[in-house]
Amino acid sequence: MSETSDTLTVTDNRTGETYELAVEDGAIRAMDLRQIKVTDDDFGLLAYDPAFKNTANVRSEVTYIDGDAGILRYRGYPIEQLAENSNFLEVAYLLIHGELPTADEYDHWTYEITHHTFIHENLKQFMDGFHHDAHPMGMLVSTVGALSTFYPEAKGLDDPETRHMQIVRLIAKFPTLAAFAYRHSIGMRYAYPDNDLSFAGNFLNMMWKTTELKYEPDPILEKAMDRLLILHADHEQNCSTTTMRTIGSSDADPYSAAAGATSALYGPKHGGANEAVLRMLEEIGSVDQVADAVKAAKNGEFRLMGFGHRVYKNYDPRAKVIRELAHDVFEVTGKNPLIDIAVELEKIALEDDYFVDRKLYPNVDFYSGIIYQAMGFPTSMFPVLFAMGRIPGWLAHWQENLLDPEQAIVRPRQLFVGADERDYVPTAQR
Ligand code: CMC
């Protein structure tokens, strides 16, 4: 029997040289490829990996996903258990600190977040400057970035207390900015935070309060809102989290990094997908049109939004929880008729070879928009709600990156395939 070792032997057929590369945690170090050269002045072999489809650029302890098995765990805890038994602030603490809080830690954390929900009045004026029909996600991106101008001390990244303060502020102020963006877009007076309410209850208060002296959230909708935030709280190295880490790697302050992450989340292939799902379901229009829509998606005429995932090649565990949550919400709000179209779409797609062969299953965004719509949120707010849930995850990764001695400013290499050197040609001679 041949001896085994945790190495990879590579033969460079250009030179006949053989190299032995260490394999650790199922990976080789891309820097180990550099020794592979044809000539002494050769730069060394690079790994080419557009969109990082097969590149790990961090060691992370935050979130584990097994995409083939449909498993998602935050710090080891299955998402289903957290959604059932925990709450968003506790999950946020878990993501950032690595452990569930004790009762005292939880009380202190909740107190801190609750007492940082207000935003500077000048930021409100900033919000007022937006056009009346500005997209709330655009307003969120700008105002989150603007927070950095109010907290210049946030640049003190080496001090744990300073970092902690900005983490608290970002989690606390995100819902306020999100709700204010909505209120601005419909021309309504801003509703200020209410410290008596839970994190989710207060957000619903800032969204929906009108003339009542005290807003009382419906307990079922409050719980549903909280669960939706838990389900969105982290998803390891996705596009926006990678953006957060990348911006953070230049030692920019976390508000600027979070503004970048929010921008990354805005796109329809990422956090904008739930908005796109609703538009798609509305366009399909009725259950009897579903089969034709699936056919059109197979012909490449459009993508079934809310289907498919870079990592999940199985049912997204978050989509399962959300599908169940929909029934609780509909008990209060009445059924959203789009759910029938969605269920039929899922049924037909999951039986179709095109989707089965490509392992395309519903993802988190497939059902979330239907619930949000039933709760009264306009589609433009969907990515905003996603961002509000994701902020603890972004911050957990931002901090992990800063504290990781192996990390440095992110700066990938390129394969240059453009023009060779050529002389400038004056305009008249072109
Ligand atoms: N509808 C129809 N076909 C699809 C879909 C879809 N939603 N998604 C992937 N495919 C096909 C694609 O055409 C390709 O087929 P072929 O091999 O014949 O060329 C194959 O499946 C692989 O697709 P891909 O684009 O190479 O896969 P990817 O890993 O680059 O993309 C994705 C992942 C999420 C961007 C993509 O599945 C997609 O665009 N889905 C719709 C948008 C969506 O729901 N996004 C939310 C993602 S979950 C929330 C989040 O993380 O933000």
Side-chain angles (χ1 to χ4, degrees), residues 269-270 273 303-307 309-310 354 358 363 365:
K269 284 188 177 170
H270 193 10
R303 282 197 166 200
L304 278 193
M305 299 315 286
F307 258 75
H309 200 277
R310 174 65 58 78
Y354 175 93
R358 290 170 179 74
N363 59 48
D365 290 320

